[in-house]
Amino acid sequence: MSATADHAEERTNPAARLGFEPGQVVQEIGYDDDVEQDFREGIEAVTGQDLVDEDYDDVADVVVLWFRDDDGDLTDALVDAIGLIDEGAPVWLMTPKTGRDGYIEPSDINEAARTAGLTQTKSINAGKDWTGSRLVTPKSVKR
């Protein structure tokens, strides 16, 4: 693929800007009929494979967690998501935008992430109704 084609894909496919790579296993949690289908399809286009669901029983390269205010405890969901990936791998937390059903305050996201041992590194627009937060475990200190 040419550099021009790469840039064109980044403009039309938001997932292309988010660090997803060909061959990655992306585990999706919290899927429902309200999620951004174009965003999901964009991830699959970049990785070249289908997203795996909550029943996947191996370590994933990335977790995409769709979470709404009434889905339970966000900290618990993040801790569970961390257990599905290697240290340093990202969790993309997808939450409804301001004013949408299931909206979560940014301060609540930040608090839950910190409590779960995660750091927010980026926020993105993931479509008409969803926003995304890239969360990672802090890198280990080498001695």
Side-chain angles (χ1 to χ4, degrees):
M1 187 181 299
S2 72
T4 305
D6 287 343
H7 292 300
E9 181 178 16
E10 286 180 10
R11 283 193 301 276
T12 59
N13 179 359
R17 299 188 308 263
L18 304 182
F20 292 101
E21 298 176 9
Q24 281 185 317
V25 174
V26 179
Q27 187 166 17
E28 181 179 47
I29 301 170
Y31 174 85
D32 205 339
D33 59 4
D34 63 342
V35 303
E36 293 287 346
Q37 293 299 327
D38 289 344
F39 184 76
R40 296 178 73 251
E41 291 167 8
I43 294 170
E44 291 174 340
V46 171
T47 62
Q49 43 194 353
D50 292 340
L51 301 177
V52 298
D53 65 15
E54 289 133 344
D55 297 329
Y56 183 71
D57 62 358
D58 202 351
V59 176
D61 297 306
V62 181
V63 167
V64 173
L65 172 60
W66 300 95
F67 199 86
R68 303 141 198 93
D69 186 48
D70 59 356
D71 284 347
D73 186 83
L74 179 55
T75 302
D76 289 346
L78 291 172
V79 168
D80 290 346
I82 295 167
L84 304 171
I85 54 176
D86 284 330
E87 182 178 329
V91 172
W92 277 99
L93 172 63
M94 313 308 275
T95 56
K97 287 183 176 178
T98 304
R100 307 299 199 281
D101 285 344
Y103 169 73
I104 300 171
E105 290 288 338
S107 59
D108 293 340
I109 293 171
N110 190 29
E111 181 180 336
R114 276 198 334 266
T115 302
L118 295 165
T119 302
Q120 183 173 342
T121 62
K122 180 188 265 189
S123 293
I124 56 114
N125 174 4
K128 180 174 68 99
D129 295 320
W130 292 82
T131 188
S133 301
R134 185 178 187 270
L135 308 173
V136 295
T137 54
K139 294 193 174 162
S140 298
V141 177
K142 295 186 178 175
R143 298 181 190 244

